[in-house]
């Protein structure tokens, strides 16, 4: 097979993203339930955060100018956090705490560790510069500015930010509804005895885990027999229920590979065979307008193709605007002697060599081997048409980054 028959990984990802069907439905969820959801609208700042100048430390609010006249300042008042601040009479100090609003007339706060307290007041033992230890009104978010944009995935810090601007209910996109269809006459569910020629269905569970991490709702999860008719009818049923169908197996060139053939029959096969290792047989198309991502059957290929090709598609379908991470540039702790026309995704993890941090490859890169993926913590990328020497720079993506 000539390399020109294979689609480059970059072209394939662009194609998938361009053919994504973003979820249109939105819903409102309580802020407490918004983790990992995707914002369906922009949120701008209704009022300054913080709403007023406040103290960054426990100490005393003063006017810096007063200190040239007096070394002893009587304590004229006290403002606890949550109280209205009142004002600072000239020539005095006000006892203040972290988060207390600054009384009118004060322009600085002295940490309590820098003062000596007597019955008559406080003596300050350090120079005071105007404005010190004050957190200014609007320093985090100013009224009217964009706090978070539509398409942002909500992490814990975004939950906190929404809380800080008073949002109690959040407008998010509906969860992406995904159908998982694993294919193969040889597959048996865990819990059942294995007969001759049978193997346990592992892809189903890899995909359930990946989709849960990706924030998707699995609406259908079935195993298909290797028959044209079963494949056609189940794909049709799945297309009616799901926003996205993910299959495993049945996309290669054998006569029992029905997923690709059914997509072809529908005229919906728009991508097949990638310059990617593992994952060459990956197929993409649509059934009745619902995108179908046909992953290869080999268990390690499922993991790698889901992360590399599936995640960009899923992000786009979820209405997210951010693209995937950039990975990390690391020295390779392994070598590749023979260049390949396919970009290789090596199950790998970071380690330390005598020269410093390196990326180690799992010793067994067979696409049928899942144990190597469990040993690994990410994927290292060997570019197409390249050899690699130990110590050469390589891009490494952690699994967590690929699943963001
Ligand atoms: P296929 O592309 O259908 O020929 O599958 C390629 C290889 O992956 C074969 O060895 C299959 O037995 C294996 N395979 C396919 N689906 C699964 C699955 N759900 N779980 C475990 N292995 C599978
Ligand atoms: Mg098969």
């Amino acid at each position: 097979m000539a390399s020109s028959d294979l689609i480059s990984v970059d072209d394939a990802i662009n194609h998938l993203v361009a053919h994504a069907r973003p979820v249109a439905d939105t819903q409102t969820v309580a802020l407490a339930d918004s983790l990992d959801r995707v914002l369906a609208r922009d949120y701008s700042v209704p009022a300054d955060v913080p709403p007023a100048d406040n103290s960054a430390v426990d100490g005393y609010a003063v006017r810096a100018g007063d200190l040239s006249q007096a070394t002893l300042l009587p304590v004229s008042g006290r403002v606890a956090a949550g109280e209205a601040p009142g004002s600072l009479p000239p020539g005095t100090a006000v006892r203040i705490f972290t988060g207390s609003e600054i009384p009118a007339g004060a322009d600085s706060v002295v940490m309590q560790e820098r003062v000596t307290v007597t019955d008559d007041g406080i003596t300050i033992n350090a120079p005071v510069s105007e404005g010190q230890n004050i957190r200014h009104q609007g320093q985090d978010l100013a009224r009217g500015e964009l706090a978070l944009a539509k398409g942002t995935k909500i992490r814990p810090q975004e939950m906190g930010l929404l809380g800080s601007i008073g949002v109690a209910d959040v407008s998010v996109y509906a969860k992406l509804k995904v159908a998982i269809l694993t294919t193969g006459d040889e597959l048996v569910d865990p819990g059942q005895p294995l007969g001759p020629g049978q193997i346990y269905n592992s892809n189903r569970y890899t995909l359930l885990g990946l989709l849960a991490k990706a924030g998707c709702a699995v609406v259908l999860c079935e195993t298909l027999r290797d028959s044209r008719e079963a494949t056609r009818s189940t794909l049709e049923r799945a297309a009616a229920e799901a926003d996205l169908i993910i299959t495993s197996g049945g996309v290669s060139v054998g006569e029992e590979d029905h997923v690709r053939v059914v997509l072809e029959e529908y005229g919906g096969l728009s991508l097949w065979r990638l310059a990617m290792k593992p994952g060459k047989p990956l197929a993409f198309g649509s059934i009745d307008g619902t995108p179908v991502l046909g992953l290869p059957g080999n268990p390690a290929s499922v993991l790698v193709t889901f992360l590399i090709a599936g995640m960009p598609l899923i992000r786009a379908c979820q209405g997210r605007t951010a693209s995937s991470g950039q990975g990390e540039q690391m020295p390779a702790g392994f070598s590749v002697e023979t260049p390949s026309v396919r970009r290789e995704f090596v199950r790998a993890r970071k380690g330390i060599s005598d020269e410093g941090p390196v990326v180690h490859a799992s010793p067994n890169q067979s696409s049928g081997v899942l144990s190597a993926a469990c040993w690994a913590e990410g994927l290292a990328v060997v570019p197409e048409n390249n050899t690699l020497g130990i110590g050469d720079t390589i891009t490494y993506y952690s699994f967590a980054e690929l699943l963001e």
Side-chain angles (χ1 to χ4, degrees):
M1 157 79 40
S3 65
S4 58
D5 292 323
L6 302 178
I7 300 155
S8 79
V9 175
D10 297 328
D11 286 350
I13 291 171
N14 288 338
H15 178 92
L16 293 172
V17 170
H19 290 78
R21 215 175 50 167
V23 270
D25 290 348
T26 64
Q27 61 185 125
T28 302
V29 295
L31 179 57
D33 300 326
S34 67
L35 185 65
D36 290 340
R37 303 301 296 269
V38 179
L39 288 179
R41 50 160 276 212
D42 287 344
Y43 278 89
S44 53
V45 182
D48 286 343
V49 180
D53 290 358
N54 68 85
S55 179
V57 296
D58 293 326
Y60 294 86
V62 300
R63 184 157 43 205
D66 290 348
L67 299 167
S68 50
Q69 284 103 55
T71 48
L72 178 76
L73 297 177
V75 178
S76 58
R78 182 178 191 277
V79 190
E83 280 180 353
S87 63
L88 175 85
T92 71
V94 163
R95 177 71 172 129
I96 200 168
F97 303 91
T98 307
S100 299
E101 284 192 15
I102 304 295
D107 58 19
S108 314
V109 176
V110 183
M111 288 173 84
Q112 65 186 45
E113 292 84 344
R114 305 274 183 276
V115 309
T116 306
V117 185
T118 64
D119 288 347
D120 300 328
I122 60 163
T123 313
I124 297 171
N125 307 317
V128 176
S129 54
E130 194 178 319
Q132 72 177 33
N133 297 323
I134 292 185
R135 302 190 290 212
H136 289 286
Q137 175 175 343
Q139 75 167 36
D140 188 354
L141 295 164
R143 179 168 179 263
E145 77 174 291
L146 182 67
L148 292 171
K150 176 176 166 172
T152 302
K153 183 174 176 183
I154 304 173
R155 300 171 298 171
Q157 54 268 52
E158 277 82 27
M159 287 176 77
L161 192 87
L162 289 164
S164 79
I165 58 170
V167 174
D169 299 298
V170 193
S171 172
V172 296
Y173 288 115
K175 280 193 179 185
L176 190 71
K177 291 183 283 182
V178 182
I180 299 175
L181 304 177
T182 47
T183 73
D185 281 343
E186 71 277 35
L187 301 179
V188 172
D189 269 335
Q192 307 296 314
L194 276 188
Q198 297 183 320
I199 58 166
Y200 285 120
N201 185 345
S202 60
N203 292 346
R204 171 185 192 145
Y205 299 93
T206 306
L207 287 168
L208 281 169
L210 288 165
L211 287 164
K213 288 257 186 199
C216 298
V218 175
V219 291
L220 193 78
C221 185
E222 290 185 15
T223 303
L224 293 187
R225 297 295 131 213
D226 287 323
S227 101
R228 192 72 42 98
E229 197 33 54
T231 304
R232 185 184 294 120
S233 63
T234 313
L235 278 172
E236 274 176 358
R237 189 155 44 82
E241 279 187 49
D243 301 318
L244 171 66
I245 300 169
I246 297 183
T247 64
S248 87
V251 287
S252 203
V253 291
E255 62 264 37
E256 294 297 352
D257 289 321
H258 300 287
V259 172
R260 174 187 53 82
V261 178
V262 167
L263 283 174
E264 231 160 18
E265 280 174 6
Y266 271 80
L269 181 75
S270 61
L271 189 89
W272 185 45
R273 292 161 66 82
L274 267 54
M276 175 174 181
K277 189 181 170 188
K280 183 166 87 174
L282 185 134
F284 178 74
S286 67
I287 298 278
D288 299 338
T290 301
V292 181
L293 181 65
L295 304 181
N298 279 310
S301 308
V302 166
L303 177 72
V304 171
T305 51
F306 181 97
L307 293 170
I308 299 301
M311 276 308 294
L313 171 66
I314 286 173
R315 281 188 203 99
C317 289
Q318 288 173 323
R320 292 172 60 187
T321 44
S323 49
S324 36
Q326 299 301 303
E328 242 182 291
Q329 299 302 304
M330 300 270 302
F334 61 99
S335 60
V336 176
E337 265 98 55
T338 323
S340 166
V341 295
R342 296 194 277 157
R343 187 179 297 178
E344 187 172 359
F345 294 88
V346 173
R347 278 149 281 154
R349 73 183 191 200
K350 294 202 263 186
I352 299 287
S353 75
D354 293 343
E355 280 76 44
V358 283
V359 173
H360 293 300
S362 158
N364 191 339
Q365 294 293 327
S366 158
S367 57
V369 166
L370 260 188
S371 49
C374 294
W375 174 91
E377 286 160 6
L379 299 176
V381 185
V382 182
E384 44 274 62
N385 307 312
N386 262 279
T387 57
L388 184 78
I390 291 193
D392 287 356
T393 301
I394 193 168
T395 308
Y396 171 81
Y397 298 91
S398 71
F399 288 136
E401 176 179 8
L402 292 166
L403 272 168
E404 264 168 21

